[in-house]
Amino acid sequence: NAGVTQTPKFQVLKTGQSMTLQCAQDMNHEYMSWYRQDPGMGLRLIHYSVGAGITDQGEVPNGYNVSRSTTEDFPLRLLSAAPSQTSVYFCASSPIGSYEQYFGPGTRLTVT
Amino acid sequence: KQEVTQIPAALSVPEGENLVLNCSFTDSAIYNLQWFRQDPGKGLTSLLLIQSSQREQTSGRLNASLDKSSGRSTLYIAASQPGDSATYLCAVSTNDMRFGAGTRLTVKP
């Protein structure tokens, strides 16, 4: 099992550019989520999904889109990057009902 | 809105000392509480998961307790080692998961 994988590990964008952060898991987990981690603020939930075709907003969803076409993949899209989106992004998954989350290694994004 | 607070923000102890990390939350209607470890530049590793019906969980030198009614959890680390140096985060699950800002632990040889 690879667990939860994220690509890329590092990314630098210019303001206004768009990109997609990839997340995949091979544990057949129904629940997947995206977080951002900023210094001194812990992790904040951006979007989550309880299964293919179902997504919902978390605490800080503005500026981000998600889709869930398969159980395995949960990409996060930045439509028009802003410096405020400079952060470390983590993807996580868990089986429904367990709530024990497994995290990917993270993507460090810098927007200049 | 669920608020999760971890105190202290940073802690430095000599090797061998027993220590306690604290986590408090404002809404007691949680499904579970989870403690994570994060090494610099790395992702999160789950240490212990306490279901809402449980009072504590143990794994090796780690013991986590949960008092839902008072909105508190503690992570007890026995006989600390330099390898325990990391940031420890607690997170509570209701409809989503809310994290504390973490406690950065340094264990000095």
Side-chain angles (χ1 to χ4, degrees):
Chain A
N1 273 0
V4 181
T5 58
Q6 291 184 239
T7 57
K9 290 186 178 180
F10 302 94
Q11 183 70 48
V12 179
L13 290 178
K14 294 186 177 179
T15 298
Q17 285 185 317
S18 63
M19 79 158 295
T20 299
L21 279 63
Q22 301 292 344
C23 174
Q25 52 92 10
D26 61 0
M27 297 173 283
N28 203 31
H29 288 168
E30 298 92 342
Y31 184 92
M32 295 185 74
S33 53
W34 277 102
Y35 296 86
R36 59 177 289 173
Q37 185 177 31
D38 300 297
M41 297 189 69
L43 277 75
R44 291 181 292 168
L45 182 65
I46 303 171
H47 285 284
Y48 65 95
S49 168
V50 298
I54 306 169
T55 64
D56 208 344
Q57 296 181 349
E59 187 181 359
V60 288
N62 293 340
Y64 308 94
N65 277 358
V66 292
S67 60
R68 185 92 179 271
S69 57
T70 67
T71 300
E72 295 77 20
D73 300 299
F74 190 44
L76 178 72
R77 297 183 185 85
L78 282 70
L79 303 177
S80 179
S84 61
Q85 293 178 305
T86 293
S87 188
V88 181
Y89 291 84
F90 290 101
C91 178
S93 73
S94 70
I96 287 287
S98 163
Y99 298 101
E100 183 172 7
Q101 297 210 45
Y102 298 82
F103 280 80
T107 294
R108 186 173 295 273
L109 176 67
T110 302
V111 183
T112 61
Chain B
K1 177 187 168 186
Q2 179 76 271
E3 301 283 348
V4 182
T5 304
Q6 290 188 246
I7 295 173
L11 180 64
S12 181
V13 300
E15 181 176 5
E17 195 163 295
N18 302 325
L19 59 99
V20 174
L21 307 180
N22 297 293
C23 173
S24 62
F25 47 95
T26 54
D27 183 354
S28 61
I30 64 171
Y31 297 136
N32 61 53
L33 183 144
Q34 199 165 356
W35 282 94
F36 294 89
R37 170 186 172 133
Q38 185 177 30
D39 293 291
K42 303 292 185 181
L44 279 69
T45 301
S46 178
L47 297 173
L48 291 164
L49 172 70
I50 311 177
Q51 301 291 354
S52 62
S53 58
Q54 298 175 321
R55 298 282 294 184
E56 66 177 345
Q57 282 286 341
T58 299
S59 176
R61 294 183 293 108
L62 305 180
N63 175 276
S65 67
L66 174 63
D67 184 343
K68 252 190 13 171
S69 61
S70 67
R72 293 179 183 175
S73 175
T74 61
L75 179 66
Y76 175 82
I77 302 177
S80 59
Q81 303 170 358
D84 295 330
S85 297
T87 296
Y88 291 81
L89 298 129
C90 72
V92 297
S93 293
T94 51
N95 292 324
D96 57 25
M97 182 173 266
R98 296 293 170 113
F99 283 80
T103 293
R104 188 173 68 253
L105 173 66
T106 302
V107 181
K108 298 179 178 179

PDB file of all heavy atoms in Angstrom, chain A residues 31-35 44-49 55-62 64 66 74, chain B residues 1 95-98:
ATOM      1  N   TYR A  31     -13.883   8.585   2.733  1.00  0.00           N
ATOM      2  CA  TYR A  31     -13.742   9.977   3.139  1.00  0.00           C
ATOM      3  C   TYR A  31     -12.368  10.497   2.749  1.00  0.00           C
ATOM      4  O   TYR A  31     -11.349   9.871   3.061  1.00  0.00           O
ATOM      5  CB  TYR A  31     -13.928  10.095   4.657  1.00  0.00           C
ATOM      6  CG  TYR A  31     -13.890  11.509   5.188  1.00  0.00           C
ATOM      7  CD1 TYR A  31     -15.056  12.259   5.319  1.00  0.00           C
ATOM      8  CD2 TYR A  31     -12.691  12.095   5.588  1.00  0.00           C
ATOM      9  CE1 TYR A  31     -15.033  13.551   5.813  1.00  0.00           C
ATOM     10  CE2 TYR A  31     -12.649  13.383   6.080  1.00  0.00           C
ATOM     11  CZ  TYR A  31     -13.829  14.103   6.191  1.00  0.00           C
ATOM     12  OH  TYR A  31     -13.802  15.396   6.679  1.00  0.00           O
ATOM     13  N   MET A  32     -12.350  11.640   2.041  1.00  0.00           N
ATOM     14  CA  MET A  32     -11.097  12.315   1.726  1.00  0.00           C
ATOM     15  C   MET A  32     -11.254  13.805   1.991  1.00  0.00           C
ATOM     16  O   MET A  32     -12.365  14.353   1.901  1.00  0.00           O
ATOM     17  CB  MET A  32     -10.689  12.071   0.271  1.00  0.00           C
ATOM     18  CG  MET A  32     -10.375  10.614  -0.033  1.00  0.00           C
ATOM     19  SD  MET A  32      -9.754  10.339  -1.689  1.00  0.00           S
ATOM     20  CE  MET A  32      -8.072  10.998  -1.554  1.00  0.00           C
ATOM     21  N   SER A  33     -10.147  14.442   2.307  1.00  0.00           N
ATOM     22  CA  SER A  33     -10.224  15.856   2.681  1.00  0.00           C
ATOM     23  C   SER A  33      -8.928  16.573   2.337  1.00  0.00           C
ATOM     24  O   SER A  33      -7.879  15.938   2.187  1.00  0.00           O
ATOM     25  CB  SER A  33     -10.510  15.988   4.184  1.00  0.00           C
ATOM     26  OG  SER A  33      -9.585  15.250   4.939  1.00  0.00           O
ATOM     27  N   TRP A  34      -9.035  17.878   2.233  1.00  0.00           N
ATOM     28  CA  TRP A  34      -7.889  18.749   2.001  1.00  0.00           C
ATOM     29  C   TRP A  34      -7.803  19.764   3.142  1.00  0.00           C
ATOM     30  O   TRP A  34      -8.817  20.369   3.536  1.00  0.00           O
ATOM     31  CB  TRP A  34      -8.025  19.523   0.692  1.00  0.00           C
ATOM     32  CG  TRP A  34      -7.591  18.765  -0.510  1.00  0.00           C
ATOM     33  CD1 TRP A  34      -8.365  18.137  -1.442  1.00  0.00           C
ATOM     34  CD2 TRP A  34      -6.240  18.581  -0.946  1.00  0.00           C
ATOM     35  NE1 TRP A  34      -7.600  17.565  -2.409  1.00  0.00           N
ATOM     36  CE2 TRP A  34      -6.283  17.830  -2.135  1.00  0.00           C
ATOM     37  CE3 TRP A  34      -4.996  18.982  -0.450  1.00  0.00           C
ATOM     38  CZ2 TRP A  34      -5.139  17.454  -2.846  1.00  0.00           C
ATOM     39  CZ3 TRP A  34      -3.859  18.618  -1.146  1.00  0.00           C
ATOM     40  CH2 TRP A  34      -3.928  17.866  -2.328  1.00  0.00           C
ATOM     41  N   TYR A  35      -6.559  19.962   3.632  1.00  0.00           N
ATOM     42  CA  TYR A  35      -6.282  20.934   4.676  1.00  0.00           C
ATOM     43  C   TYR A  35      -5.155  21.841   4.212  1.00  0.00           C
ATOM     44  O   TYR A  35      -4.325  21.460   3.407  1.00  0.00           O
ATOM     45  CB  TYR A  35      -5.814  20.256   5.968  1.00  0.00           C
ATOM     46  CG  TYR A  35      -6.831  19.362   6.628  1.00  0.00           C
ATOM     47  CD1 TYR A  35      -6.977  18.029   6.252  1.00  0.00           C
ATOM     48  CD2 TYR A  35      -7.640  19.840   7.655  1.00  0.00           C
ATOM     49  CE1 TYR A  35      -7.894  17.210   6.868  1.00  0.00           C
ATOM     50  CE2 TYR A  35      -8.565  19.017   8.277  1.00  0.00           C
ATOM     51  CZ  TYR A  35      -8.681  17.712   7.870  1.00  0.00           C
ATOM     52  OH  TYR A  35      -9.601  16.889   8.493  1.00  0.00           O
ATOM     53  N   ARG A  44      -6.387  23.679   8.781  1.00  0.00           N
ATOM     54  CA  ARG A  44      -7.767  24.117   8.560  1.00  0.00           C
ATOM     55  C   ARG A  44      -8.338  23.381   7.355  1.00  0.00           C
ATOM     56  O   ARG A  44      -7.682  23.262   6.327  1.00  0.00           O
ATOM     57  CB  ARG A  44      -7.826  25.633   8.356  1.00  0.00           C
ATOM     58  CG  ARG A  44      -7.506  26.427   9.619  1.00  0.00           C
ATOM     59  CD  ARG A  44      -7.602  27.912   9.354  1.00  0.00           C
ATOM     60  NE  ARG A  44      -6.549  28.373   8.463  1.00  0.00           N
ATOM     61  CZ  ARG A  44      -6.529  29.574   7.881  1.00  0.00           C
ATOM     62  NH1 ARG A  44      -7.535  30.423   8.091  1.00  0.00           N
ATOM     63  NH2 ARG A  44      -5.534  29.918   7.094  1.00  0.00           N
ATOM     64  N   LEU A  45      -9.572  22.920   7.493  1.00  0.00           N
ATOM     65  CA  LEU A  45     -10.210  22.120   6.463  1.00  0.00           C
ATOM     66  C   LEU A  45     -10.684  22.995   5.308  1.00  0.00           C
ATOM     67  O   LEU A  45     -11.377  23.989   5.515  1.00  0.00           O
ATOM     68  CB  LEU A  45     -11.400  21.366   7.080  1.00  0.00           C
ATOM     69  CG  LEU A  45     -12.178  20.440   6.170  1.00  0.00           C
ATOM     70  CD1 LEU A  45     -11.301  19.278   5.701  1.00  0.00           C
ATOM     71  CD2 LEU A  45     -13.416  19.914   6.893  1.00  0.00           C
ATOM     72  N   ILE A  46     -10.319  22.603   4.084  1.00  0.00           N
ATOM     73  CA  ILE A  46     -10.696  23.366   2.890  1.00  0.00           C
ATOM     74  C   ILE A  46     -11.963  22.764   2.268  1.00  0.00           C
ATOM     75  O   ILE A  46     -12.992  23.429   2.133  1.00  0.00           O
ATOM     76  CB  ILE A  46      -9.564  23.366   1.857  1.00  0.00           C
ATOM     77  CG1 ILE A  46      -8.274  23.917   2.467  1.00  0.00           C
ATOM     78  CG2 ILE A  46      -9.967  24.197   0.635  1.00  0.00           C
ATOM     79  CD1 ILE A  46      -7.056  23.757   1.566  1.00  0.00           C
ATOM     80  N   HIS A  47     -11.880  21.518   1.850  1.00  0.00           N
ATOM     81  CA  HIS A  47     -13.007  20.780   1.279  1.00  0.00           C
ATOM     82  C   HIS A  47     -12.894  19.324   1.699  1.00  0.00           C
ATOM     83  O   HIS A  47     -11.803  18.852   2.013  1.00  0.00           O
ATOM     84  CB  HIS A  47     -12.991  20.836  -0.259  1.00  0.00           C
ATOM     85  CG  HIS A  47     -13.416  22.128  -0.856  1.00  0.00           C
ATOM     86  ND1 HIS A  47     -14.727  22.537  -0.925  1.00  0.00           N
ATOM     87  CD2 HIS A  47     -12.681  23.105  -1.443  1.00  0.00           C
ATOM     88  CE1 HIS A  47     -14.793  23.720  -1.525  1.00  0.00           C
ATOM     89  NE2 HIS A  47     -13.570  24.087  -1.854  1.00  0.00           N
ATOM     90  N   TYR A  48     -14.020  18.633   1.665  1.00  0.00           N
ATOM     91  CA  TYR A  48     -13.986  17.218   1.949  1.00  0.00           C
ATOM     92  C   TYR A  48     -15.002  16.484   1.076  1.00  0.00           C
ATOM     93  O   TYR A  48     -15.871  17.107   0.449  1.00  0.00           O
ATOM     94  CB  TYR A  48     -14.218  16.932   3.430  1.00  0.00           C
ATOM     95  CG  TYR A  48     -15.586  17.305   3.944  1.00  0.00           C
ATOM     96  CD1 TYR A  48     -16.610  16.370   4.024  1.00  0.00           C
ATOM     97  CD2 TYR A  48     -15.863  18.606   4.375  1.00  0.00           C
ATOM     98  CE1 TYR A  48     -17.861  16.706   4.517  1.00  0.00           C
ATOM     99  CE2 TYR A  48     -17.113  18.961   4.857  1.00  0.00           C
ATOM    100  CZ  TYR A  48     -18.093  18.011   4.933  1.00  0.00           C
ATOM    101  OH  TYR A  48     -19.338  18.348   5.413  1.00  0.00           O
ATOM    102  N   SER A  49     -14.852  15.155   1.066  1.00  0.00           N
ATOM    103  CA  SER A  49     -15.742  14.324   0.253  1.00  0.00           C
ATOM    104  C   SER A  49     -16.026  13.025   0.999  1.00  0.00           C
ATOM    105  O   SER A  49     -15.113  12.422   1.562  1.00  0.00           O
ATOM    106  CB  SER A  49     -15.078  14.020  -1.092  1.00  0.00           C
ATOM    107  OG  SER A  49     -15.786  13.018  -1.781  1.00  0.00           O
ATOM    108  N   THR A  55     -19.064  16.167  -2.687  1.00  0.00           N
ATOM    109  CA  THR A  55     -18.078  17.039  -2.044  1.00  0.00           C
ATOM    110  C   THR A  55     -18.800  18.092  -1.219  1.00  0.00           C
ATOM    111  O   THR A  55     -19.971  18.389  -1.460  1.00  0.00           O
ATOM    112  CB  THR A  55     -17.172  17.727  -3.076  1.00  0.00           C
ATOM    113  OG1 THR A  55     -17.957  18.591  -3.900  1.00  0.00           O
ATOM    114  CG2 THR A  55     -16.446  16.719  -3.942  1.00  0.00           C
ATOM    115  N   ASP A  56     -18.079  18.669  -0.273  1.00  0.00           N
ATOM    116  CA  ASP A  56     -18.658  19.717   0.557  1.00  0.00           C
ATOM    117  C   ASP A  56     -17.552  20.654   1.030  1.00  0.00           C
ATOM    118  O   ASP A  56     -16.363  20.303   0.996  1.00  0.00           O
ATOM    119  CB  ASP A  56     -19.398  19.128   1.754  1.00  0.00           C
ATOM    120  CG  ASP A  56     -20.528  20.035   2.226  1.00  0.00           C
ATOM    121  OD1 ASP A  56     -20.550  21.239   1.829  1.00  0.00           O
ATOM    122  OD2 ASP A  56     -21.379  19.570   2.996  1.00  0.00           O
ATOM    123  N   GLN A  57     -17.971  21.844   1.450  1.00  0.00           N
ATOM    124  CA  GLN A  57     -17.015  22.857   1.883  1.00  0.00           C
ATOM    125  C   GLN A  57     -16.636  22.666   3.343  1.00  0.00           C
ATOM    126  O   GLN A  57     -17.456  22.261   4.166  1.00  0.00           O
ATOM    127  CB  GLN A  57     -17.619  24.247   1.691  1.00  0.00           C
ATOM    128  CG  GLN A  57     -17.902  24.598   0.249  1.00  0.00           C
ATOM    129  CD  GLN A  57     -18.486  25.990   0.107  1.00  0.00           C
ATOM    130  OE1 GLN A  57     -18.872  26.624   1.082  1.00  0.00           O
ATOM    131  NE2 GLN A  57     -18.553  26.473  -1.121  1.00  0.00           N
ATOM    132  N   GLY A  58     -15.384  23.018   3.625  1.00  0.00           N
ATOM    133  CA  GLY A  58     -14.924  23.026   4.993  1.00  0.00           C
ATOM    134  C   GLY A  58     -14.884  24.428   5.552  1.00  0.00           C
ATOM    135  O   GLY A  58     -15.722  25.264   5.224  1.00  0.00           O
ATOM    136  N   GLU A  59     -13.874  24.675   6.360  1.00  0.00           N
ATOM    137  CA  GLU A  59     -13.768  25.945   7.079  1.00  0.00           C
ATOM    138  C   GLU A  59     -13.296  27.093   6.186  1.00  0.00           C
ATOM    139  O   GLU A  59     -13.728  28.242   6.333  1.00  0.00           O
ATOM    140  CB  GLU A  59     -12.790  25.759   8.245  1.00  0.00           C
ATOM    141  CG  GLU A  59     -12.669  26.908   9.202  1.00  0.00           C
ATOM    142  CD  GLU A  59     -11.660  26.608  10.303  1.00  0.00           C
ATOM    143  OE1 GLU A  59     -11.083  25.492  10.312  1.00  0.00           O
ATOM    144  OE2 GLU A  59     -11.439  27.498  11.150  1.00  0.00           O
ATOM    145  N   VAL A  60     -12.400  26.815   5.236  1.00  0.00           N
ATOM    146  CA  VAL A  60     -11.795  27.862   4.397  1.00  0.00           C
ATOM    147  C   VAL A  60     -11.846  27.478   2.923  1.00  0.00           C
ATOM    148  O   VAL A  60     -10.816  27.275   2.270  1.00  0.00           O
ATOM    149  CB  VAL A  60     -10.348  28.160   4.844  1.00  0.00           C
ATOM    150  CG1 VAL A  60     -10.321  28.901   6.157  1.00  0.00           C
ATOM    151  CG2 VAL A  60      -9.523  26.875   4.939  1.00  0.00           C
ATOM    152  N   PRO A  61     -13.030  27.417   2.284  1.00  0.00           N
ATOM    153  CA  PRO A  61     -13.127  26.899   0.924  1.00  0.00           C
ATOM    154  C   PRO A  61     -12.871  27.920  -0.195  1.00  0.00           C
ATOM    155  O   PRO A  61     -12.651  27.522  -1.350  1.00  0.00           O
ATOM    156  CB  PRO A  61     -14.588  26.450   0.863  1.00  0.00           C
ATOM    157  CG  PRO A  61     -15.302  27.418   1.773  1.00  0.00           C
ATOM    158  CD  PRO A  61     -14.333  27.698   2.895  1.00  0.00           C
ATOM    159  N   ASN A  62     -12.905  29.217   0.143  1.00  0.00           N
ATOM    160  CA  ASN A  62     -12.843  30.229  -0.918  1.00  0.00           C
ATOM    161  C   ASN A  62     -11.538  30.173  -1.685  1.00  0.00           C
ATOM    162  O   ASN A  62     -10.459  30.154  -1.108  1.00  0.00           O
ATOM    163  CB  ASN A  62     -13.047  31.624  -0.324  1.00  0.00           C
ATOM    164  CG  ASN A  62     -14.456  31.799   0.218  1.00  0.00           C
ATOM    165  OD1 ASN A  62     -15.370  31.072  -0.156  1.00  0.00           O
ATOM    166  ND2 ASN A  62     -14.628  32.764   1.107  1.00  0.00           N
ATOM    167  N   TYR A  64     -10.783  27.777  -3.847  1.00  0.00           N
ATOM    168  CA  TYR A  64     -10.443  26.379  -4.141  1.00  0.00           C
ATOM    169  C   TYR A  64     -11.662  25.622  -4.673  1.00  0.00           C
ATOM    170  O   TYR A  64     -12.773  25.834  -4.208  1.00  0.00           O
ATOM    171  CB  TYR A  64      -9.955  25.647  -2.884  1.00  0.00           C
ATOM    172  CG  TYR A  64      -8.852  26.316  -2.126  1.00  0.00           C
ATOM    173  CD1 TYR A  64      -9.134  27.153  -1.051  1.00  0.00           C
ATOM    174  CD2 TYR A  64      -7.520  26.112  -2.467  1.00  0.00           C
ATOM    175  CE1 TYR A  64      -8.125  27.774  -0.335  1.00  0.00           C
ATOM    176  CE2 TYR A  64      -6.500  26.725  -1.748  1.00  0.00           C
ATOM    177  CZ  TYR A  64      -6.823  27.556  -0.689  1.00  0.00           C
ATOM    178  OH  TYR A  64      -5.810  28.160   0.014  1.00  0.00           O
ATOM    179  N   VAL A  66     -12.918  21.473  -5.788  1.00  0.00           N
ATOM    180  CA  VAL A  66     -12.595  20.057  -5.745  1.00  0.00           C
ATOM    181  C   VAL A  66     -13.619  19.280  -6.555  1.00  0.00           C
ATOM    182  O   VAL A  66     -14.709  19.770  -6.847  1.00  0.00           O
ATOM    183  CB  VAL A  66     -12.578  19.496  -4.309  1.00  0.00           C
ATOM    184  CG1 VAL A  66     -11.421  20.068  -3.504  1.00  0.00           C
ATOM    185  CG2 VAL A  66     -13.907  19.737  -3.624  1.00  0.00           C
ATOM    186  N   PHE A  74      -8.712  12.731  -5.400  1.00  0.00           N
ATOM    187  CA  PHE A  74      -9.416  13.915  -4.881  1.00  0.00           C
ATOM    188  C   PHE A  74      -8.538  15.143  -5.148  1.00  0.00           C
ATOM    189  O   PHE A  74      -7.840  15.645  -4.280  1.00  0.00           O
ATOM    190  CB  PHE A  74      -9.677  13.736  -3.387  1.00  0.00           C
ATOM    191  CG  PHE A  74     -10.605  14.767  -2.793  1.00  0.00           C
ATOM    192  CD1 PHE A  74     -11.760  15.151  -3.438  1.00  0.00           C
ATOM    193  CD2 PHE A  74     -10.328  15.322  -1.542  1.00  0.00           C
ATOM    194  CE1 PHE A  74     -12.632  16.076  -2.888  1.00  0.00           C
ATOM    195  CE2 PHE A  74     -11.188  16.251  -0.978  1.00  0.00           C
ATOM    196  CZ  PHE A  74     -12.339  16.631  -1.642  1.00  0.00           C
TER     197      PHE A  74
ATOM    198  N   LYS B   1     -19.132  27.127  16.844  1.00  0.00           N
ATOM    199  CA  LYS B   1     -17.965  26.668  16.113  1.00  0.00           C
ATOM    200  C   LYS B   1     -16.953  26.052  17.072  1.00  0.00           C
ATOM    201  O   LYS B   1     -16.651  26.629  18.100  1.00  0.00           O
ATOM    202  CB  LYS B   1     -17.345  27.858  15.376  1.00  0.00           C
ATOM    203  CG  LYS B   1     -16.068  27.527  14.637  1.00  0.00           C
ATOM    204  CD  LYS B   1     -15.432  28.793  14.078  1.00  0.00           C
ATOM    205  CE  LYS B   1     -14.019  28.511  13.587  1.00  0.00           C
ATOM    206  NZ  LYS B   1     -13.315  29.726  13.169  1.00  0.00           N
ATOM    207  N   ASN B  95     -18.671  17.011  12.738  1.00  0.00           N
ATOM    208  CA  ASN B  95     -18.986  16.792  11.325  1.00  0.00           C
ATOM    209  C   ASN B  95     -17.751  16.924  10.456  1.00  0.00           C
ATOM    210  O   ASN B  95     -17.726  16.456   9.330  1.00  0.00           O
ATOM    211  CB  ASN B  95     -20.068  17.767  10.853  1.00  0.00           C
ATOM    212  CG  ASN B  95     -21.399  17.481  11.510  1.00  0.00           C
ATOM    213  OD1 ASN B  95     -21.743  16.333  11.744  1.00  0.00           O
ATOM    214  ND2 ASN B  95     -22.132  18.526  11.831  1.00  0.00           N
ATOM    215  N   ASP B  96     -16.761  17.599  10.954  1.00  0.00           N
ATOM    216  CA  ASP B  96     -15.458  17.660  10.296  1.00  0.00           C
ATOM    217  C   ASP B  96     -14.397  17.564  11.384  1.00  0.00           C
ATOM    218  O   ASP B  96     -14.714  17.278  12.529  1.00  0.00           O
ATOM    219  CB  ASP B  96     -15.320  18.928   9.443  1.00  0.00           C
ATOM    220  CG  ASP B  96     -15.534  20.209  10.241  1.00  0.00           C
ATOM    221  OD1 ASP B  96     -15.316  20.192  11.477  1.00  0.00           O
ATOM    222  OD2 ASP B  96     -15.929  21.214   9.659  1.00  0.00           O
ATOM    223  N   MET B  97     -13.160  17.778  11.004  1.00  0.00           N
ATOM    224  CA  MET B  97     -12.076  17.644  11.977  1.00  0.00           C
ATOM    225  C   MET B  97     -11.452  19.016  12.216  1.00  0.00           C
ATOM    226  O   MET B  97     -11.101  19.704  11.260  1.00  0.00           O
ATOM    227  CB  MET B  97     -11.027  16.658  11.460  1.00  0.00           C
ATOM    228  CG  MET B  97      -9.881  16.412  12.413  1.00  0.00           C
ATOM    229  SD  MET B  97      -8.773  15.099  11.843  1.00  0.00           S
ATOM    230  CE  MET B  97      -9.454  13.700  12.691  1.00  0.00           C
ATOM    231  N   ARG B  98     -11.326  19.383  13.491  1.00  0.00           N
ATOM    232  CA  ARG B  98     -10.713  20.657  13.846  1.00  0.00           C
ATOM    233  C   ARG B  98      -9.430  20.390  14.623  1.00  0.00           C
ATOM    234  O   ARG B  98      -9.420  19.583  15.557  1.00  0.00           O
ATOM    235  CB  ARG B  98     -11.665  21.509  14.704  1.00  0.00           C
ATOM    236  CG  ARG B  98     -12.929  21.916  13.967  1.00  0.00           C
ATOM    237  CD  ARG B  98     -12.643  22.870  12.840  1.00  0.00           C
ATOM    238  NE  ARG B  98     -13.794  23.101  11.984  1.00  0.00           N
ATOM    239  CZ  ARG B  98     -14.437  24.264  11.897  1.00  0.00           C
ATOM    240  NH1 ARG B  98     -14.014  25.310  12.600  1.00  0.00           N
ATOM    241  NH2 ARG B  98     -15.465  24.391  11.095  1.00  0.00           N
TER     242      ARG B  98
END
